[in-house]
């Protein structure tokens, strides 16, 4: 490994710090389990993240699972320095954040085996040689029963984004100043995104929708994702072929509403390659833009017939809310459950949030288990391998995640929860209260200090603890 300073575009403009729930070992292990495979236990997992930026994604894992061994590496030294600083301040010792080139890593700078490998936002945004090295690295270090996550802009939707990128590059030709490029890019996207008065259909209408979505992204994402030096959308078939050349096999998708693509309906013969061909055909039919693909070692033979009984070994959680009308709402989605037993189960799940309920304690009926899997695919609930490593019952000396406390101290508008979510933290009272939860104060001392603070009169201690616990940030 090398710490040689190599200036990159990500040093000039830092990519936003973020965590990604779909990349977690928990998510990957669940998908493996649904395909009849056993993945390594997440409690002691060895995890590698390729191009992990400042390492926040693994820092959030490491603080929740202290017995894991995690390595994130990135080419940008400034990002690596930030991550190392946060790790030191939070006292996170099981996460290493290294400055390294993917080419060096693939050539042997990284060795050993890793149970889970993550390459998020890398594969389609690097030169051909680096993309090949990424897959070669995964093929070399993935453990025999491990799972790898690779996200990429997909075709055919990626072709439309390529068209917009070409238009932007034409518009910005000769402009080198980064701030001016962003201003001009936003102006162009805003103008192009405006729909004409007359009804418009077809490719151009879709491109206008894409431009509107691009305008919602932060400047840092726009400059790197849309205006970076490299942009090479991939088909699923291309990525699967590259994986096969490195002793890997496509398992399925980590993203909601694509999970069922990796299973065959009963009327389709389960022959080699059938599920991959169907998934690729679906991409062409739907115009898919993005994939979050999972891979396992070749020869593991993931089941391609869905068996709902596999859910019985999992845990369910949902932040959906049941409305007085009897239906449920989550984000912008509303859904209704007409089966009484399924509705009762969902009430138990939502009432327990953010705790996780063992699916085996809900029911064992295959039809209802299948319905639960469809809700998982739709994003209405989460499935998990474990009950999680956080508490809803604060002890005598409550301790909030040290990473969350560091994030608050550094002005982050949101924090990483211990169940790997991004939790908005705009309330100054919540921010001040979490900072007190370092384990040095017993309940009596905490009550006295909170009462004496400028926020103590607003909310009682027990209520503050209950609300904090609901954010899944209290250490078990």
């Amino acid at each position: 490994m090398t710490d040689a300073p190599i200036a990159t575009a990500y040093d000039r403009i830092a990519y936003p710090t973020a965590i990604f729930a779909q990349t977690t070992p928990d998510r990957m292990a669940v998908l493996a389990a649904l395909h009849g495979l056993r993945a390594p236990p997440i409690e002691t997992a060895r995890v590698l993240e390729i191009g992990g930026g400042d390492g926040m994604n693994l820092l959030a894992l490491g603080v929740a699972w202290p017995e894991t061994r995690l390595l994130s590496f990135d080419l940008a030294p400034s990002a690596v320095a930030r991550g190392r600083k946060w790790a030191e301040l939070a006292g996170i010792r099981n996460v290493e954040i290294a400055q390294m080139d993917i080419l060096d890593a693939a050539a042997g700078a990284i060795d050993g085996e890793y149970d889970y490998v993550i390459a998020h936002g890398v594969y389609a945004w690097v030169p051909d040689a680096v993309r090949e090295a990424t897959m070669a690295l995964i093929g070399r270090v993935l453990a025999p029963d491990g799972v790898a996550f690779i996200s990429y802009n997909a075709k055919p939707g990626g072709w439309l984004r390529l068209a917009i990128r070409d238009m932007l590059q034409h518009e910005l030709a000769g402009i080198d100043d980064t701030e001016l490029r962003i201003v001009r890019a936003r102006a162009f996207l805003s103008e192009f995104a405006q729909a004409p008065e007359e009804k418009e259909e077809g490719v151009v209408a879709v491109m206008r929708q894409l431009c509107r979505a691009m305008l919602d992204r932060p400047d840092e994402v726009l400059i790197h994702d849309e205006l970076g030096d490299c942009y090479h959308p991939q088909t699923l078939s291309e990525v699967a072929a590259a994986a096969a050349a490195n002793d890997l096999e496509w398992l399925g998708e980590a993203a909601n509403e694509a999970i069922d693509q990796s299973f065959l309906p009963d009327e389709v013969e389960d022959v080699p390659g059938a599920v991959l061909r169907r998934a690729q055909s679906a991409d062409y039919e739907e115009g898919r833009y993005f994939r979050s693909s999972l891979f396992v070692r070749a020869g593991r033979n993931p089941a391609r017939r869905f068996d709902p009984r596999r859910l019985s070994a999992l845990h369910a959680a949902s932040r959906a809310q049941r409305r007085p009308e009897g239906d449920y709402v989550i984000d912008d989605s509303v859904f209704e459950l007409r089966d009484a037993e399924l509705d009762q189960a969902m009430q138990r799940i939502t009432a327990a949030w953010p705790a996780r309920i063992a699916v085996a304690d809900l029911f064992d009926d295959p039809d209802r288990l299948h319905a639960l899997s469809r809700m998982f695919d739709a994003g209405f609930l989460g499935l998990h391998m474990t009950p999680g490593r956080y508490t809803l019952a604060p002890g005598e000396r409550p301790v909030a995640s040290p990473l969350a406390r560091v994030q608050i101290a550094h002005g982050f508008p949101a924090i990483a929860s211990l169940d790997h979510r991004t939790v908005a933290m705009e309330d100054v009272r919540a921010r001040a209260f979490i900072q007190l939860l370092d384990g040095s104060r017993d309940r009596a001392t905490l009550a006295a200090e909170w009462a004496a603070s400028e926020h103590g009169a607003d909310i009682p201690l027990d209520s503050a603890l209950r609300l904090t616990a609901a954010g899944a940030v209290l250490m078990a």
Side-chain angles (χ1 to χ4, degrees):
M1 298 182 185
T2 176
D3 290 313
I6 302 174
T8 73
Y10 294 89
D11 294 299
R12 293 187 291 273
I13 300 179
Y15 203 82
T17 294
I19 62 173
F20 306 99
Q22 291 179 358
T23 69
T24 60
D26 183 35
R27 181 80 169 191
M28 289 189 259
V30 164
L31 270 297
L34 292 180
H35 288 84
L37 301 180
R38 183 182 297 276
I42 63 175
E43 297 89 340
T44 56
R46 302 159 296 177
V47 183
L48 172 67
E49 181 157 22
I50 301 168
D54 54 33
M56 184 60 75
N57 197 39
L58 292 197
L59 289 173
L61 283 173
V63 72
W65 303 100
E67 295 180 6
T68 56
R69 181 164 57 86
L70 316 175
L71 169 60
S72 171
F73 76 89
D74 197 274
L75 186 60
S78 60
V80 170
R82 288 195 305 274
R84 287 174 173 174
K85 178 182 72 173
W86 295 330
E88 181 178 1
L89 291 172
I92 301 173
R93 306 290 180 233
N94 59 327
V95 180
E96 179 183 358
I97 303 175
Q99 192 270 318
M100 192 186 315
D101 191 304
I102 292 174
L103 294 174
D104 293 335
I110 288 181
D111 56 13
E113 287 186 347
Y114 290 86
D115 301 313
Y116 299 93
V117 181
I118 303 165
H120 180 50
V122 175
Y123 198 77
W125 293 269
V126 292
D128 293 347
V130 180
R131 183 166 51 257
E132 293 169 4
T134 300
M135 192 66 80
L137 172 61
I138 296 171
R140 183 167 57 78
V141 304
L142 187 66
D145 55 352
V147 186
F149 173 104
I150 305 175
S151 67
Y152 48 96
N153 274 358
K155 299 173 185 174
W159 280 319
L160 295 183
R161 291 184 65 169
L162 272 173
I164 297 172
R165 173 186 167 87
D166 287 345
M167 292 191 299
L168 283 170
Q169 297 288 13
H170 175 75
E171 180 71 15
L172 303 178
I175 301 176
D176 297 324
D177 181 78
T178 299
E179 292 186 4
L180 182 56
R181 284 175 65 83
I182 293 173
V183 170
R184 291 287 293 273
R186 288 197 175 279
F188 173 82
L189 291 171
S190 297
E191 181 178 355
F192 187 82
Q194 298 302 314
E197 293 183 4
E198 64 273 13
K199 183 176 176 61
E200 183 180 50
E201 298 178 352
V203 172
V204 175
V206 176
M207 290 174 65
R208 295 194 201 280
Q209 292 178 345
L210 285 173
C211 287
R212 289 192 284 272
M214 290 177 186
L215 286 167
D216 290 336
R217 295 172 188 147
D219 290 346
E220 302 88 342
V221 175
L222 183 64
I223 201 71
H224 289 303
D225 286 9
E226 310 302 337
L227 299 173
D229 293 335
C230 297
Y231 181 72
H232 304 289
Q234 306 286 305
T235 65
L236 171 62
S237 296
E238 289 171 335
V239 179
N246 289 278
D247 192 38
L248 300 170
E249 176 183 359
W250 181 64
L251 171 67
E253 295 296 305
N256 294 118
E257 299 183 355
I259 293 169
D260 62 349
Q261 287 188 350
S262 52
F263 295 102
L264 292 171
D266 292 339
E267 65 271 16
V268 176
E269 186 179 0
D270 186 2
V271 297
V275 70
L276 185 63
R277 286 194 298 273
R278 283 177 56 86
Q280 181 63 81
S281 295
D283 281 6
Y284 289 130
E285 294 168 5
E286 300 167 10
R288 185 174 296 279
Y289 296 97
F290 195 82
R291 274 196 174 271
S292 302
S293 299
L294 302 179
F295 295 87
V296 294
R297 281 287 175 206
R300 293 201 68 198
N301 298 318
R304 296 306 184 185
R305 303 289 189 198
F306 182 74
D307 184 347
R309 293 172 297 183
R310 299 186 188 115
L311 271 72
S312 297
L314 306 177
H315 297 74
S318 177
R319 56 184 177 81
Q321 296 181 334
R322 194 171 192 269
R323 304 195 299 184
E325 299 88 339
D327 56 10
Y328 295 83
V329 59
I330 180 169
D331 298 328
D332 297 327
S333 298
V334 177
F335 62 97
E336 183 180 0
L337 299 175
R338 297 184 179 181
D339 179 89
E341 188 170 347
L342 188 62
D343 182 54
Q344 290 175 3
M346 192 63 180
Q347 289 185 55
R348 284 186 60 188
I349 294 170
T350 56
W353 174 260
R356 301 167 180 175
I357 303 294
V359 173
D361 293 340
L362 297 174
F363 38 62
D364 58 6
D365 176 68
D367 290 338
R368 293 189 174 96
L369 289 172
H370 204 163
L372 210 63
S373 75
R374 291 194 295 270
M375 293 168 65
F376 170 58
D377 190 29
F380 297 153
L381 59 77
L383 293 175
H384 306 275
M385 295 299 298
T386 74
R389 189 75 67 84
Y390 47 93
T391 185
L392 301 184
E396 176 63 19
R397 293 179 179 271
V399 180
S401 160
L403 180 61
R405 287 187 275 117
V406 167
Q407 289 177 307
I408 290 174
H410 283 75
F412 281 59
I415 61 174
S417 68
L418 293 170
D419 58 352
H420 217 78
R421 291 178 295 116
T422 298
V423 179
M425 194 58 56
E426 299 174 352
D427 191 322
V428 294
R429 298 169 301 177
R431 298 174 72 89
F433 185 71
I434 288 175
Q435 288 292 67
L436 295 176
L437 305 181
D438 61 2
S440 66
R441 300 168 177 85
D442 58 22
R443 286 290 189 104
T445 303
L446 188 60
E449 290 193 26
W450 182 240
S453 74
E454 60 180 311
H455 308 296
D458 295 341
I459 181 170
L461 175 66
D462 287 344
S463 297
L465 281 171
R466 185 175 64 256
L467 291 171
T468 302
V473 295
L474 292 183
M475 304 288 286

